[in-house]
Amino acid sequence: MAAVQWHSRVRAYESELRAARLEAVPLEPGDPHPLKSITVTDSKSRRGGGRRGSTSSSSSSGSVAPDPLSSMLDGTDPLSMFAAASASEAPTLSHTFFRSASYVKEEEVGPDFEPWSAKRGEILARFTTTEKLSINLFMGSDKGKAPSPNSTVSEKVRNRLEELDDMEEGSQRELLNLSQQDYVNRIEELNQNLKEAWSSDQKVKALKIVIQCSKLLSDTSVIQFYPSKFVLITDILDTFGRLVYERIWSMCSDSRAMPESFTADDVNDTAKETCLNWFFKIASIRELIPRLYPWQLGCTCHIFIGIQETLPRLTAMIRGIGDPLVAVYARAYLCRVGMEVAPHLKESLKKNFFDLLASFRQIHSDSVQNQLVLQRVEIPVYLTLYSPAINWILQCVSYRAPETLLTEMMERCKKLANNALLLNSVMWAFRAEFVAARATDFIGMIKDCDEAGFPKHLLFGSLGRSLACADPPENERLSILNEAWKVITKVRSPQVSTMDISIAQIKFVDFTKREVNTVLADIIKHMTPDRAFEDAYPQLQSVIRKILNYFHDFSVLFSMERFLPFLDMFQKDSVRVDVCRSIMEVFIKHQQEPTRDPVILNALLHVCKTMHDSVNALTLEDEKRSLSLLINGFIRMVSFGRDFEQQLSFCVEARATFCNLEPVLVQLIHTVNQLAMETRRVMRGNHSRKTAAFVRACAAYSFITIPSLTSIFSRLNLYLLSGQVALANQCLSQADAFFKAAVSLLPEVPRSITVEGKLRSSEAFLLDFISNFLSTLLVVPDHPEQGVLYLVRGLLNMVQDYTWEENSDAKVRVYISALPLLAAMSQDTYLYAIPKVDSNETLYGGDPKFLAEVNKLCETLIGQVLDHLKALGRDEGAGVRKQGTLAFSLFGCLLAHGDLRNNKLSQLAVNLWNLSHKHGYCDTRNSVRTLEYIKHQSQQPDMAHLSEMALRLSLQSRA
């Protein structure tokens, strides 16, 4: 230790800065500019038009450089390549009912078409019953056993025909008094029986189950449950259709590969014969409905023999069904199959709908009316049973249909005296843009509808849904609202209040504050009785979104008398938070200037408090982070100008309001620090007593708030930042308190911390903080009542006592990092300073005692590093590698900051160089550059002593 003598090199910072500046090199006219667009030459092999191995090159100049990742993959991203490879391994089916969605051609049925599977759950949940149900189960017989392998073809045919006759002659069992859940269980049992019969090669038995299930679709004894029954039974039919299709498809797997979009001409004779055999079996069924549904399933297999004539034939067959409810669901199923196997055959879909219109008068027939009286079902309830089927049929018909088709549909509805049920389905099915453009016409048709079967308010609700998605003509918007409101004001039942909400979604862009306030008042009037708003949260949220889309002036928005009472209707916590989130997102996006409007501030404080209060111990970190971002966006937009005291009061209130969200508290501390710096800037150095008191108040705010943070590195960094702000405002005692708090906190730093959900070592974060702290300490003057360099010594003592990771070099790296600071403190003029703050350069004025203390501390640190290097040398493995790295780091520090004219210090530098190269672990390139730098510096004035040292430095490598 005594052999080490430190002498800091005298630095001339201004001349060093001038020498380090880059030279300006004039640009010749022909020289390329680094920001000029890149010319890319793309060479790709052609698949034809030339001999093998030839390439075609094309050059193009553009403003965008090529993506290196894309170019490596020849323009194809890895996910697309993987998807293509996966698709190539699977059989490609075209126009098939049971194919994967990835095989659907976009020009036929795309992702914008809502599939039946999305509607299935809604139907089952909506159409339920408490009535008792019945079901016929096929009992089977010995004739249903699989035929012997030695049977002749004629015997197999005879056996199968006998099995079908056996089923029709009464080998069934009727189960009565089933609950809805029992019924569902029995249907699932039938589905399982179907799969078992098929897997055991009892194909005719499987067909019997399908026929039996199809018969159930003619039963409307519990009419309110019929839509759900249809869903459950068609699930079984789908299973059967998939099994038949896969059987026939397997027969197509011969030596010829089936094309992606195959036709009947591509199918072999075996598959065609099997397909026809199934159709012959189905054709032998006597009853219409048990024959019709399996035949519709057969449409999926008609691809193998041709389908052009099948759909029209089945459409005509449905005309023979007498019950209109059974008929409409049969048409819905046919449209479903048609959209899957042949969506291009639009005429068949339209024909189904027009046949439906022609038979719609059957609803008022005596047989239907008698059935409704017998089951005590009102006509409005009965009409709702048609909605899923009609909506589905119209969705299929209107999918990517031209606007002229809507005109045709409207004319058809008028001929039926504007049947409300059909009119409602039309408005739901067609594109919102088409409906909105004809909003006035639809209102006229709605007014002419008979309200007995389908209430008009539901029609206005459907119209409002379209108007919420698309703009009606500008000159019609107000009249549309007025016409709708004439109906709304007559409605008193809270159950229908969703209608006026839907109408309220008409674009607000042309409405005044008064008109929107009137709309909200009426919604509140309808939704408040019996807490009807609890059943209409989605619609209420939609109204909020529409208002926020067109009212970006929040002073106008919050001054609406009914807006805040409207928000109070969101009583459910999760929904309430979502609404508040929507408001804050729009505010942050559209609020261009900071605000001090008390109306906005009070309202948004309430909104943000609602979000904050939703946080509890179970709230996910992502949710906390999301809410904090929104609240912080609000805080950043609050400004009271030069009324700094009012701004600080707002921060005090916000701290009490948002105490559970740490990122918000961090933002508030940053805001207060910015406020203190802004005060200093505005006062332009006129540091009056009032200004000093305010800055001290800001410092007190930060000093009180920082300890409440749980993240220790947030506390450390904010202590450092707040101390720097206090120092910049000449509040030396406050700055001293912040720095001492940071030093005292260091022993509490854990050895590992959680970063983005992962446990990581805290060592790198701690070293980064200490490095920043050391840079600040250069300009911090010593306290008059403390010793020399008391903050530096306190920091280094904490580093010495801290429990570092085992075999860690972090402590020694801190010691090496402290040497440049101490060397800078030895200069007559410091590298940087704070205006009106006297640093140690002024306080000590180059006092020899002060310099001696600095040098002594440097020698102590160097001694600690050398002791550590000796200890590392005892380890022949990883120790010598670390030894070389640390030795080279200390050498660089001596070279940059030490006075190498001192022989002992120069000899130490040479020894460190040799030690770093002793085992060959030093970076050769870095060593070469360092040696070149030393030789270059030796040519500078007062640096000639480096030339002698350069001769003593040699490059070594590990043998």
Side-chain angles (χ1 to χ4, degrees):
M1 293 288 294
V4 179
Q5 293 184 2
W6 173 264
H7 297 276
S8 299
R9 179 164 67 92
V10 178
R11 307 291 294 273
Y13 292 121
E14 292 185 2
S15 61
E16 289 182 22
L17 178 62
R18 287 194 299 268
R21 283 176 180 160
L22 298 176
E23 295 184 25
V25 179
L27 184 65
E28 299 296 331
D31 292 346
H33 192 278
L35 298 181
K36 185 179 179 181
S37 59
I38 302 173
T39 300
V40 182
T41 302
D42 185 17
S43 300
K44 293 184 179 180
S45 299
R46 293 184 180 270
R47 292 189 176 182
R51 66 180 184 271
R52 182 177 302 176
S54 64
T55 60
S56 173
S57 300
S58 60
S59 298
S60 60
S61 179
S63 59
V64 181
D67 182 2
L69 297 180
S70 297
S71 61
M72 289 295 292
L73 294 169
D74 196 19
T76 305
D77 66 276
L79 294 181
S80 299
M81 296 176 67
F82 176 77
S86 299
S88 64
E89 297 174 0
T92 55
L93 318 179
S94 177
H95 309 311
T96 58
F97 183 44
F98 302 106
R99 61 189 167 177
S100 169
S102 60
Y103 300 128
V104 179
K105 289 190 174 181
E106 187 174 353
E107 65 268 23
E108 294 174 353
V109 178
D112 55 334
F113 184 81
E114 185 178 13
W116 175 259
S117 59
K119 301 177 181 294
R120 181 182 178 278
E122 178 186 351
I123 296 174
L124 292 174
R126 180 181 174 188
F127 298 97
T128 59
T129 183
T130 58
E131 299 288 334
K132 295 301 181 180
L133 303 167
S134 63
I135 189 173
N136 289 326
L137 286 179
F138 171 66
M139 300 302 296
S141 66
D142 293 339
K143 298 177 182 179
K145 294 180 180 179
S148 171
N150 299 325
S151 301
T152 62
V153 175
S154 60
E155 290 175 343
K156 291 180 180 179
V157 173
R158 184 172 63 253
N159 288 336
R160 290 178 177 177
L161 291 176
E162 288 175 355
E163 290 176 27
L164 290 174
D165 292 338
D166 176 63
M167 192 255 334
E168 295 192 4
E169 289 171 1
S171 58
Q172 304 173 34
R173 177 165 61 94
E174 185 176 17
L175 299 178
L176 304 174
N177 298 324
L178 297 177
S179 66
Q180 178 177 315
Q181 186 58 48
D182 292 336
Y183 189 91
V184 173
N185 294 339
R186 294 299 181 182
I187 292 296
E188 179 57 34
E189 181 181 332
L190 282 174
N191 200 358
Q192 189 62 33
N193 291 342
L194 170 66
K195 296 177 183 178
E196 292 174 357
W198 189 272
S199 62
S200 61
D201 201 28
Q202 300 184 59
K203 304 296 189 297
V204 175
K205 180 178 179 181
L207 180 58
K208 287 180 181 181
I209 296 175
V210 171
I211 294 171
Q212 180 183 348
C213 291
S214 300
K215 279 187 174 184
L216 295 176
L217 291 175
S218 62
D219 176 24
T220 57
S221 57
V222 184
I223 201 166
Q224 290 175 282
F225 185 64
Y226 190 84
S228 293
K229 177 194 287 189
F230 172 80
V231 170
L232 294 171
I233 292 177
T234 52
D235 285 347
I236 298 179
L237 302 182
D238 293 345
T239 300
F240 179 73
R242 180 167 56 253
L243 294 172
V244 174
Y245 182 90
E246 291 174 353
R247 172 176 168 79
I248 300 175
W249 170 260
S250 65
M251 296 179 178
C252 297
S253 303
D254 55 8
S255 56
R256 295 183 304 160
M258 292 286 284
E260 181 179 354
S261 299
F262 66 89
T263 63
D265 296 334
D266 301 311
V267 180
N268 58 33
D269 293 338
T270 303
K272 288 182 179 179
E273 182 179 353
T274 304
C275 186
L276 288 171
N277 186 33
W278 277 108
F279 285 119
F280 292 153
K281 287 185 176 72
I282 295 171
S284 67
I285 301 173
R286 299 168 188 172
E287 298 182 35
L288 175 58
I289 292 180
R291 182 172 71 252
L292 178 65
Y293 273 96
W295 206 308
Q296 292 184 50
L297 281 174
C299 286
T300 62
C301 301
H302 262 292
I303 297 175
F304 300 103
I305 58 177
I307 196 173
Q308 297 288 340
E309 298 153 2
T310 305
L311 291 176
R313 185 185 307 122
L314 291 172
T315 300
M317 288 174 61
I318 297 177
R319 297 173 187 169
I321 300 177
D323 191 309
L325 184 63
V326 176
V328 74
Y329 276 93
R331 294 189 187 281
Y333 194 73
L334 182 58
C335 289
R336 176 185 163 193
V337 174
M339 283 298 290
E340 294 289 346
V341 301
H344 57 287
L345 299 180
K346 294 290 187 181
E347 287 303 318
S348 177
L349 298 172
K350 291 170 59 177
K351 187 63 175 174
N352 262 288
F353 180 72
F354 293 147
D355 282 356
L356 165 65
L357 296 182
S359 62
F360 208 73
R361 294 183 180 87
Q362 289 179 288
I363 291 177
H364 303 288
S365 65
D366 292 340
S367 61
V368 172
Q369 295 300 319
N370 292 337
Q371 186 183 27
L372 296 183
V373 171
L374 183 63
Q375 298 193 36
R376 300 186 188 90
V377 176
E378 300 292 334
I379 191 68
V381 176
Y382 175 67
L383 290 177
T384 60
L385 304 178
Y386 286 79
S387 297
I390 295 178
N391 289 344
W392 175 260
I393 294 172
L394 274 170
Q395 178 183 329
C396 298
V397 173
S398 63
Y399 180 65
R400 296 185 180 175
E403 194 170 357
T404 54
L405 182 60
L406 175 57
T407 304
E408 183 179 358
M409 294 292 180
M410 294 173 68
E411 293 300 323
R412 296 268 184 162
C413 288
K414 288 179 181 178
K415 291 180 180 178
L416 289 174
N418 292 332
N419 183 277
L421 177 61
L422 294 176
L423 186 60
N424 186 68
S425 297
V426 168
M427 288 188 291
W428 270 84
F430 279 86
R431 291 174 56 184
E433 295 82 359
F434 296 168
V435 176
R438 294 167 173 76
T440 302
D441 295 335
F442 274 108
I443 286 179
M445 296 174 67
I446 292 173
K447 292 168 67 176
D448 294 338
C449 284
D450 181 10
E451 196 168 7
F454 202 95
K456 289 183 180 180
H457 66 264
L458 296 180
L459 296 174
F460 274 109
S462 298
L463 177 61
R465 170 187 168 273
S466 296
L467 297 178
C469 302
D471 289 319
E474 288 190 19
N475 57 344
E476 299 178 8
R477 291 176 185 172
L478 205 53
S479 62
I480 292 171
L481 183 64
N482 291 333
E483 288 293 333
W485 232 252
K486 291 178 183 178
V487 179
I488 292 173
T489 53
K490 297 178 182 178
V491 179
R492 292 293 178 262
S493 173
Q495 284 75 22
V496 299
S497 55
T498 55
M499 173 270 297
D500 55 351
I501 296 177
S502 297
I503 286 297
Q505 295 177 45
I506 297 174
K507 303 295 184 181
F508 288 104
V509 65
D510 290 334
F511 295 168
T512 64
K513 167 186 170 183
R514 181 181 62 83
E515 291 164 342
V516 175
N517 200 57
T518 302
V519 172
L520 296 180
D522 199 81
I523 294 176
I524 295 171
K525 178 181 177 181
H526 282 84
M527 300 300 290
T528 303
D530 300 326
R531 299 178 67 86
F533 52 78
E534 293 180 346
D535 298 323
Y537 282 140
Q539 295 90 338
L540 292 171
Q541 286 180 272
S542 183
V543 173
I544 286 288
R545 286 193 294 268
K546 298 305 174 185
I547 294 176
L548 293 175
N549 282 343
Y550 295 99
F551 282 84
H552 300 154
D553 188 342
F554 280 79
S555 60
V556 174
L557 184 63
F558 289 126
S559 63
M560 289 184 191
E561 183 182 357
R562 295 297 179 182
F563 184 76
L564 292 179
F566 182 80
L567 292 182
D568 289 338
M569 286 196 298
F570 296 96
Q571 299 289 319
K572 188 177 180 181
D573 290 341
S574 60
V575 178
R576 190 179 184 88
V577 172
D578 287 341
V579 171
C580 292
R581 187 195 299 271
S582 300
I583 294 173
M584 292 309 304
E585 287 173 351
V586 174
F587 175 79
I588 293 171
K589 180 179 180 181
H590 294 284
Q591 185 71 25
Q592 301 296 328
E593 299 293 334
T595 181
R596 61 185 300 175
D597 189 326
V599 174
I600 295 178
L601 297 186
N602 290 333
L604 290 185
L605 268 175
H606 173 72
V607 169
C608 291
K609 186 178 187 302
T610 300
M611 296 191 299
H612 168 270
D613 292 347
S614 68
V615 175
N616 54 47
L618 301 179
T619 304
L620 298 176
E621 290 300 322
D622 286 345
E623 177 71 7
K624 292 181 181 178
R625 188 181 303 112
S626 176
L627 295 177
S628 298
L629 286 174
L630 294 174
I631 298 175
N632 286 342
F634 162 63
I635 292 173
R636 285 192 290 267
M637 294 305 298
V638 177
S639 174
F640 290 88
R642 294 195 176 187
D643 191 347
F644 301 130
E645 292 183 358
Q646 185 65 29
Q647 186 85 32
L648 183 59
S649 298
F650 169 80
C651 291
V652 172
E653 181 182 0
R655 179 179 61 187
T657 304
F658 309 124
C659 58
N660 291 332
L661 290 175
E662 186 162 311
V664 179
L665 296 179
V666 172
Q667 175 62 46
L668 287 170
I669 296 172
H670 282 291
T671 300
V672 170
N673 282 326
Q674 292 172 1
L675 185 61
M677 295 303 295
E678 182 68 10
T679 305
R680 176 175 177 269
R681 185 190 66 81
V682 170
M683 296 307 295
R684 298 180 182 275
N686 298 325
H687 211 65
S688 64
R689 292 183 178 179
K690 183 177 180 180
T691 303
F694 178 78
V695 173
R696 287 195 293 270
C698 291
Y701 179 98
S702 299
F703 198 79
I704 293 172
T705 309
I706 292 174
S708 64
L709 304 178
T710 58
S711 171
I712 192 164
F713 280 102
S714 293
R715 280 183 277 164
L716 285 172
N717 290 322
L718 287 173
Y719 274 135
L720 179 58
L721 174 64
S722 301
Q724 292 168 344
V725 170
L727 196 63
N729 284 277
Q730 299 96 51
C731 296
L732 301 183
S733 58
Q734 283 75 19
D736 193 68
F738 281 117
F739 295 143
K740 288 172 65 176
V743 172
S744 301
L745 188 59
L746 286 176
E748 300 179 20
V749 176
R751 295 175 61 176
S752 59
I753 58 174
T754 302
V755 180
E756 297 180 353
K758 297 180 180 180
L759 199 63
R760 296 178 56 183
S761 171
S762 64
E763 189 173 281
F765 299 95
L766 183 56
L767 289 177
D768 183 64
F769 168 77
I770 293 175
S771 178
N772 293 333
F773 199 180
L774 289 172
S775 300
T776 302
L777 291 180
L778 176 64
V779 293
V780 177
D782 283 341
H783 195 283
E785 297 178 2
Q786 304 291 340
V788 176
L789 302 178
Y790 80 103
L791 278 176
V792 177
R793 294 180 186 276
L795 175 62
L796 293 175
N797 287 336
M798 288 297 180
V799 171
Q800 174 71 27
D801 297 336
Y802 182 76
T803 305
W804 298 93
E805 294 183 14
E806 189 176 357
N807 299 324
S808 172
D809 300 322
K811 179 170 66 175
V812 177
R813 292 183 182 277
V814 173
Y815 292 161
I816 297 176
S817 299
L819 291 175
L821 167 67
L822 296 172
M825 286 182 168
S826 302
Q827 307 301 315
D828 293 335
T829 303
Y830 286 179
L831 178 60
Y832 45 85
I834 296 177
K836 297 189 177 182
V837 174
D838 293 333
S839 301
N840 286 338
E841 60 176 336
T842 303
L843 294 180
Y844 295 109
D847 186 351
K849 293 182 179 180
F850 172 73
L851 297 180
E853 287 292 332
V854 171
N855 291 338
K856 182 179 179 181
L857 185 55
C858 289
E859 292 168 3
T860 302
L861 295 178
I862 293 175
Q864 292 283 340
V865 175
L866 294 179
D867 290 343
H868 185 72
L869 291 176
K870 292 178 182 179
L872 290 175
R874 302 188 188 101
D875 184 0
E876 295 296 332
V880 293
R881 183 185 295 272
K882 292 182 179 181
Q883 184 190 58
T885 303
L886 289 175
F888 194 81
S889 179
L890 181 57
F891 168 81
C893 182
L894 297 181
L895 178 64
H897 304 284
D899 186 0
L900 297 183
R901 289 175 296 185
N902 180 279
N903 292 332
K904 291 186 177 180
L905 202 58
S906 177
Q907 182 61 47
L908 175 61
V910 173
N911 293 341
L912 290 171
W913 173 277
N914 294 332
L915 181 61
S916 65
H917 290 75
K918 180 178 180 181
H919 300 284
Y921 288 116
C922 195
D923 186 350
T924 304
R925 180 180 300 178
N926 197 15
S927 299
V928 171
R929 291 178 178 177
T930 303
L931 191 55
E932 292 176 352
Y933 168 79
I934 295 173
K935 292 177 181 179
H936 175 75
Q937 288 294 105
S938 66
Q939 300 175 6
Q940 304 297 322
D942 299 329
M943 302 293 285
H945 59 280
L946 292 180
S947 58
E948 181 181 352
M949 190 183 75
L951 297 175
R952 301 168 61 191
L953 303 179
S954 59
L955 297 175
Q956 300 178 13
S957 61
R958 183 173 52 181

